Amino acid sequence: MNRLFRQNPRIEAAPLDDEAILFDPTASKFFMLNRTSSFVWQRLSTPSSAKTLADELCKHFDSVVPSDVLNDVEHALEQMLSMDLVVAGDAAVNPQPRDAAQPSPAERRE
């Protein structure tokens, strides 16, 4: 996965100890991120690849198994992408506001 990811600019975030609470005002949904996902979320304030994020996680957390980290980060990013919390590709570099009338990827599956 060589795509770049970044935070969706419409998502609001609040820290909670080592975790974070995200709010999507368009969908009126809250999301709770654990310590690791919160770390990834914070790093996504600037466009980053899964590999860059995995490398940063390995440096920051002592207890991670490097061989598992990239898969875990890719999985977390795909989940965040499916919930419209992050944007990928060209949108990660130049994010455009999503039309409120257009359903998010998560809404299209329901």
Side-chain angles (χ1 to χ4, degrees), residues 6 89-96:
R6 75 174 280 128
D90 292 339
V93 179
N94 298 308
Q96 300 294 318

Side-chain angles (χ1 to χ4, degrees), residues 1-72:
M1 186 182 301
N2 293 324
R3 295 183 291 174
L4 292 180
F5 296 85
R6 75 174 280 128
Q7 297 171 354
N8 184 329
R10 77 161 191 264
I11 303 299
E12 299 172 21
L16 181 64
D17 296 322
D18 288 338
E19 299 175 341
I21 298 173
L22 306 183
F23 178 65
D24 181 348
T26 303
S28 296
K29 291 183 180 180
F30 285 92
F31 302 89
M32 185 74 177
L33 301 183
N34 65 20
R35 180 178 175 205
T36 306
S37 292
S38 179
F39 179 89
V40 169
W41 173 259
Q42 290 171 356
R43 297 314 181 273
L44 290 173
S45 62
T46 58
S48 297
S49 68
K51 171 115 176 60
T52 298
L53 293 166
D55 291 345
E56 289 181 26
L57 265 167
C58 287
K59 291 175 188 171
H60 187 77
F61 292 102
D62 294 331
S63 60
V64 298
V65 178
S67 61
D68 296 336
V69 173
L70 183 57
N71 275 341
D72 293 345

Side-chain angles (χ1 to χ4, degrees), residues 80-96:
M80 289 179 177
L81 193 60
S82 74
M83 293 181 274
D84 219 12
L85 300 175
V86 301
V87 293
D90 292 339
V93 179
N94 298 308
Q96 300 294 318

